[in-house]
């Protein structure tokens, strides 16, 4: 009866998961493979501040026809706040206002962008007037005029003039005059403002531009500052550090001017964080529209794409854990690979994502080996279980810290990622391995340790395949199929593959008879 119940449950899960996946593919039109032809970015700005209980107003500069992109849509999450949008000079501003607000406040702005080299740009910005030559203080003035004269002789137009100036300004071996111009400035935005002041000495209009460098699944990103100069007909952008002309394809122009893009009145100065993800948002938008026309949009309304971008990036990782669990069940119950613990190899596989596989294997093996040696020393002290586990945990943390320091001093920055290993799991692995070593011998302990590492490697290779990550995020219903397979394997009582090899002589003898 229980066996029939299990099979019926598995069939039900397979039907629900497979049916929902088929519906999303065939009816809603969601893609089965990652979209590698059209880059769709979802960028989210998160504003947090502490309101003082009275009227509050929050102003945030937002993109307006950024070069290299087409805006597909934008959303504002304002809660109790009223929302208005306006233009302030070269920028577009979102203004949130509330009569009374107190305590922690959180506001969101989200924009969807499609990469397009021929995307629209803001053509309403008037042609700037030529700036007056500033009254530079000495010795800055003499240094600026000397450098500008040298650059003028090496350039042919405003673009080449600006590039030559940037190369001189950022040279690793600057002359005395450039050192005077640099001063003791340590801020990237302040350097750009300084360059604008220097360019004014050549009567070249220039302005700072605050940009966001987009990276897939980035969180808590900060803005960078670019420099734009006007050649009489258009604004020409430059990277103020490398002197490269133009904006890279993954750079989003957010605001023109060096002022902070966020201002808050009626509360503490707000914090501004950015998150971004490169997704199949365009295809999903088409699917949503089709579902709305058919009146069956509930699946899309409650999809993972409706979550904030930071939460989406978190679930892109969490949804891979059941895939690792499936690998763990298969390798232990069907293949017969012995491991320490049930979920330790999965957590180690997650750590391999940041350390990369080769470094991860080396760091894991080293920490376990050192911890095991110290664990054997602690055995001589006859400690109780809990204090002994606490001591092993402390030793693991110290070993990880020493590894990080040594790798940093040697210039091996990848070694710093050892901090991502789950320290409690490592401590429990060392404890379990030492007990197996004492009770069943070194061979059995080493065999299970190698088995744990093999499972972690195989789980990593499967979990972090781009196709797998895409499928479980776009079609999380597939996890019901994974659950059904795990349930069915949970009743498997046949021979494991390793046991077939272990008892191969008996099988051969039986066949001969």
């Amino acid at each position: 009866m229980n066996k029939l119940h299990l099979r019926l449950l598995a069939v039900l899960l397979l039907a629900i998961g497979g049916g929902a996946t088929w519906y999303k593919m065939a009816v809603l039109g969601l893609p089965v493979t990652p979209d590698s032809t059209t880059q769709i970015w979802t960028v989210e700005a998160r504003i947090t501040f502490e309101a003082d209980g009275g009227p509050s107003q929050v102003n945030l500069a937002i993109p307006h026809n950024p070069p290299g992109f087409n805006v597909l849509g934008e959303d504002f999450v304002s809660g109790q706040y009223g929302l208005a949008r306006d233009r302030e000079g070269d920028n577009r501003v979102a203004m949130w206002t509330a009569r009374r607000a107190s305590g922690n406040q959180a506001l969101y702005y989200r924009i969807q962008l499609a990469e397009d080299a021929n995307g629209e740009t803001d053509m309403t910005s008037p042609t700037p007037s030529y700036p007056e030559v500033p009254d530079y203080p000495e010795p800055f003035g003499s240094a600026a005029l000397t450098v500008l004269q040298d650059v003028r002789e090496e350039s042919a137009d405003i673009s080449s003039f600006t590039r030559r100036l940037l190369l001189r300004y950022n040279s690793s071996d600057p002359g005395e005059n450039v050192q005077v111009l640099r001063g003791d400035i340590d801020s990237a935005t302040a350097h750009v403002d300084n360059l604008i002041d220097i360019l004014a000495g050549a009567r070249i209009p220039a302005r700072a531009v605050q940009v966001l460098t987009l990276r897939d699944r980035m969180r808590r990103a900060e803005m960078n500052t670019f420099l734009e100069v006007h050649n009489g007909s258009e604004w020409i952008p430059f990277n103020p550090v490398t002197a490269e002309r133009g904006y890279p394809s993954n750079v989003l122009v957010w605001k023109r001017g060096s002022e902070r893009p966020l201002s808050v009145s009626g509360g503490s100065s707000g914090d501004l964080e950015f998150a971004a993800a490169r997704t199949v948002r365009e295809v999903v938008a088409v699917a949503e529209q089709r579902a709305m026309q058919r009146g069956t949009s509930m699946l899309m309304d409650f999809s993972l794409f409706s979550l904030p971008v930071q939460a989406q990036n978190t679930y892109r990782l969490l949804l891979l854990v059941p895939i690792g669990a499936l690998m763990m069940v298969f390798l232990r119950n069907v293949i017969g690979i012995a491991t320490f613990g049930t979920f330790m190899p999965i957590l180690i596989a997650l750590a391999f994502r940041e350390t990369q596989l080769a470094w991860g294997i080396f760091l894991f093996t080293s920490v376990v080996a050192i911890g095991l040696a110290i664990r054997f020393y602690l055995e001589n002290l006859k400690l109780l279980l809990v204090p002994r586990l606490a001591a092993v945990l402390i030793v693991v943390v110290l070993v990880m810290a020493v590894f990080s320091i040594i790798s940093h001093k040697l210039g091996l920055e990848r070694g710093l990622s050892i901090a991502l290993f789950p320290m409690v799991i490592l401590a429990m692995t060392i404890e379990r391995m030492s007990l197996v070593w004492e009770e069943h011998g070194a061979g059995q302990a080493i065999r299970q340790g190698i088995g744990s590492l093999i499972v972690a490697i195989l789980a990593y290779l499967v979990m972090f395949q781009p196709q797998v990550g895409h499928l479980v995020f776009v079609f999380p219903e597939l996890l019901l199929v994974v659950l059904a397979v795990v349930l069915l394997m949970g009743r498997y009582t046949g021979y494991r593959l390793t046991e077939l090899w272990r008892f191969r002589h008996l099988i051969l003898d039986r066949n001969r008879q």
Side-chain angles (χ1 to χ4, degrees):
M1 183 65 182
N2 289 335
K3 196 171 185 180
L4 177 61
H5 182 192
L6 177 64
R7 290 179 177 177
L8 291 176
L9 178 60
V11 170
L12 179 62
L13 293 174
L14 287 169
I16 295 175
T21 302
W22 175 86
Y23 181 84
K24 282 189 171 183
M25 290 189 298
V27 179
L28 299 183
L30 291 175
V32 180
T33 58
D35 185 5
S36 59
T37 58
T38 303
Q39 304 292 342
I40 306 299
W41 291 95
T42 301
V43 183
E44 182 180 85
R46 181 174 183 265
I47 304 166
T48 56
F49 69 99
E50 186 78 18
D52 57 16
S56 295
Q57 178 171 336
V58 178
N59 293 346
L60 174 67
I62 56 179
H64 180 61
N65 291 334
F69 293 93
N70 281 326
V71 179
L72 301 178
E74 56 185 4
D75 303 296
F76 301 83
V77 179
S78 53
Q80 64 179 345
Y81 286 78
L83 174 67
R85 282 160 282 186
D86 200 0
R87 291 292 299 271
E88 290 185 2
D90 296 324
N91 298 301
R92 193 165 63 109
V93 180
M95 296 174 288
W96 289 275
T97 55
R99 176 66 63 181
R100 294 184 182 279
S102 61
N104 293 325
Q105 306 291 309
L107 302 172
Y108 292 88
Y109 167 73
R110 182 187 297 175
I111 185 171
Q112 293 85 40
L113 302 159
E115 286 189 5
D116 185 0
N118 300 316
E120 296 181 3
T121 57
D122 186 5
M123 302 302 294
T124 61
S125 181
T127 301
S129 59
Y130 294 104
E132 297 293 331
V133 177
D135 185 15
Y136 298 121
E138 293 298 339
F140 188 94
S142 298
L145 294 177
T146 300
V147 171
L148 289 174
Q149 181 61 35
D150 293 341
V151 171
R152 184 176 290 108
E153 294 176 357
E154 299 172 354
S155 59
D157 53 18
I158 289 179
S159 177
S160 59
F161 182 96
T162 304
R163 189 170 189 278
R164 293 302 308 170
L165 175 62
L166 292 174
L167 290 173
R168 274 178 171 261
Y169 189 86
N170 295 288
S171 174
S172 59
D173 185 22
E176 181 179 346
N177 290 324
V178 174
Q179 289 181 345
V180 172
L181 296 181
R182 286 183 183 176
D184 56 356
I185 300 174
D186 58 359
S187 165
T189 302
H191 275 298
V192 172
D193 289 337
N194 191 36
L195 287 165
I196 293 172
D197 197 35
I198 296 171
L199 287 167
R203 304 203 66 192
I204 296 177
R207 64 185 181 185
V209 179
Q210 298 186 47
V211 304
L212 195 63
T213 302
L214 302 179
R215 299 185 305 277
D216 190 20
R217 307 181 191 181
M218 74 178 188
R219 303 172 64 186
R220 298 181 177 87
E222 297 181 352
M223 285 188 175
N224 299 318
T225 306
F226 267 57
L227 174 70
E228 284 188 349
V229 297
H230 202 277
N231 65 355
S233 59
E234 63 176 342
W235 288 100
I236 305 173
F238 285 91
N239 186 316
V241 176
T242 65
E244 294 180 0
R245 175 174 172 170
Y247 292 114
S249 60
N250 65 329
V251 166
L252 170 63
V253 173
W254 196 274
K255 177 186 182 296
R256 292 177 172 86
S258 56
E259 302 83 7
R260 191 166 184 253
L262 175 67
S263 63
V264 177
S265 62
S268 61
S269 59
D271 292 327
L272 180 61
E273 295 179 347
F274 295 95
R278 186 173 52 202
T279 66
V280 291
R281 175 61 84 175
E282 184 179 35
V283 179
V284 172
V286 174
E288 286 179 341
Q289 183 177 2
R290 183 185 305 169
M292 290 178 63
Q293 291 174 350
R294 299 186 180 187
T296 56
S297 60
M298 183 174 294
L299 277 177
M300 298 304 303
D301 290 340
F302 290 92
S303 70
L304 293 172
F305 291 103
S306 63
L307 297 176
V309 175
Q310 292 190 22
Q312 289 185 34
N313 293 341
T314 300
Y315 276 102
R316 287 181 184 275
L317 182 61
L318 290 180
L319 290 174
L320 294 174
V321 174
I323 304 300
L326 174 63
M327 290 290 298
M328 183 70 187
V329 172
F330 175 76
L331 292 173
R332 286 193 61 170
N333 286 32
V334 179
I335 303 300
I337 299 178
T339 63
F340 289 116
T342 303
F343 299 110
M344 183 276 285
I346 302 175
L347 297 176
I348 297 300
L350 292 176
F352 285 168
R353 176 176 179 263
E354 302 297 334
T355 63
Q356 300 303 314
L357 188 58
W359 263 101
I361 295 172
F362 170 75
L363 294 173
F364 172 78
T365 305
S366 301
V367 172
V368 171
I370 295 174
L372 190 61
I374 297 175
R375 166 63 178 80
F376 284 140
Y377 169 76
L378 294 176
E379 182 66 23
N380 297 324
L381 302 181
K382 306 299 181 182
L383 300 177
L384 297 177
L385 175 62
V386 175
R388 187 172 68 235
L389 284 175
V392 172
L393 177 62
I394 295 171
V395 168
V396 168
V397 173
L398 291 174
V399 170
M400 293 168 67
V402 170
F403 263 98
S404 296
I405 294 172
I406 294 175
S407 61
H408 177 66
K409 293 298 183 181
L410 295 176
L412 304 174
E413 298 302 318
R414 183 66 69 180
L416 298 176
S417 56
I418 192 175
L420 299 172
F421 276 106
M423 62 190 72
V424 175
I425 296 299
L426 287 177
M428 294 301 297
T429 300
I430 293 169
E431 177 68 16
R432 289 281 302 276
M433 192 170 184
S434 65
L435 292 178
V436 173
W437 193 302
E438 294 171 357
E439 295 176 2
H440 302 285
Q444 183 66 19
I446 293 175
R447 189 177 301 112
Q448 291 190 25
I450 294 175
S452 299
L453 190 57
I454 291 174
V455 173
I457 294 171
L458 295 177
Y460 165 81
L461 294 176
V462 173
M463 291 167 62
F464 295 104
Q465 283 289 329
Q467 181 67 36
V468 174
H470 170 80
L471 287 175
V472 296
F473 185 79
V474 178
F475 308 103
E477 304 82 10
L478 288 174
L479 295 185
L480 294 177
V481 177
V482 173
L483 176 58
V485 175
V486 169
L487 293 177
L488 291 174
M489 285 195 296
R491 295 296 296 268
Y492 176 74
T493 57
Y495 284 107
R496 297 180 176 91
L497 293 183
T498 53
E499 291 175 340
L500 292 177
W501 174 257
R502 178 183 176 187
F503 300 116
R504 64 189 183 279
H505 297 296
L506 295 177
I507 297 174
L508 291 175
D509 292 341
R510 180 181 299 176
N511 292 335
R512 289 169 185 167
Q513 294 174 0

